[in-house]
């Protein structure tokens, strides 16, 4: 077998070690099939290949892109911002990045720095929200304990 024969269903294990079906990608990333398909439709992460039956096939690089998106989502980044960050990192990671003009490279690095700063700020805001939520949970637990103790 040459590795080109792939299973007929998206949820089945692939015959090729180089490509993953969407079901495997969903399991590995914790994203739903619907979400992964949506990211394809809006152009954030396109599958690297399609099977003969037209099923989406993903590489490890595609999975890594989906993980970037998954990490950005709870921080409130928009799809447009996610796409921009992926575009920037693609350009900077490209083997030809050294050939970028200095001004363009500096502009991309500055934009990357803005994403880093926004991420720090959003993480701090989430930590504050979590602390408040935990405080609220502790207050409820204390109150429930007091009310249960007073009912005896």
């Amino acid at each position: 077998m040459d590795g080109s024969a792939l299973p007929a269903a998206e949820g089945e294990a692939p015959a090729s070690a180089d490509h993953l079906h969407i079901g495997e990608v969903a399991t590995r990333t914790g994203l739903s099939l619907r979400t992964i398909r949506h990211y394809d439709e809006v152009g954030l992460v396109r599958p690297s290949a399609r099977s003969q039956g037209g099923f989406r096939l993903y590489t490890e690089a595609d999975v890594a892109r989906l993980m970037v998106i998954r990490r950005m989502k709870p921080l409130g980044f928009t799809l447009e911002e996610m796409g921009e960050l992926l575009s920037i990192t693609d350009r900077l990671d490209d083997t030809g990045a050294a050939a970028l003009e200095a001004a363009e490279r500096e502009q991309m690095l500055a934009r990357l720095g803005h994403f880093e700063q926004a991420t720090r700020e959003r993480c701090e805001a989430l930590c504050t929200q979590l602390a408040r939520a935990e405080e609220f949970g502790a207050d409820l637990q204390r109150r429930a304990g007091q009310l249960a103790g007073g009912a005896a």
Side-chain angles (χ1 to χ4, degrees):
M1 181 181 232
D2 66 359
S4 64
L6 297 169
E10 285 189 8
E12 293 180 20
S16 169
D18 296 339
H19 289 96
L20 305 167
H21 282 281
I22 194 170
E24 283 185 281
V25 173
T27 299
R28 288 183 52 187
T29 62
L31 298 169
S32 70
L33 298 175
R34 183 178 182 193
T35 297
I36 295 169
R37 288 183 186 117
H38 177 69
Y39 292 156
D40 176 14
E41 291 165 9
V42 299
L44 276 179
V45 178
R46 299 228 185 255
S48 290
R50 294 256 180 187
S51 71
Q52 289 179 347
F55 295 111
R56 292 169 174 88
L57 299 174
Y58 295 88
T59 63
E60 290 298 326
D62 299 329
V63 172
R65 289 174 72 82
L66 285 165
M67 292 302 292
V68 169
I69 294 166
R70 192 188 87 179
R71 291 176 182 125
M72 291 179 79
K73 190 174 181 178
L75 296 174
F77 287 102
T78 66
L79 293 177
E80 292 78 20
E81 289 170 321
M82 293 174 190
E84 180 185 358
L85 178 66
L86 289 169
S87 177
I88 290 168
T89 57
D90 286 348
R91 287 279 288 159
L92 291 171
D93 290 343
D94 186 23
T95 55
L100 288 175
E101 290 187 26
E104 182 182 5
R105 183 174 174 77
E106 287 304 314
Q107 183 181 20
M108 287 184 187
L109 290 172
R111 191 67 187 128
L112 190 61
H114 290 295
F115 275 106
E116 183 182 6
Q117 179 63 33
T119 298
R120 271 196 309 274
E121 291 169 1
R122 292 173 188 206
C123 284
E124 289 172 10
L126 282 174
C127 286
T128 299
Q129 286 180 323
L130 179 59
R132 289 177 182 158
E134 289 172 337
E135 193 175 286
F136 176 64
D139 287 345
L140 287 177
Q141 184 178 20
R142 188 173 33 260
R143 183 171 183 128
Q146 290 170 347
L147 293 173

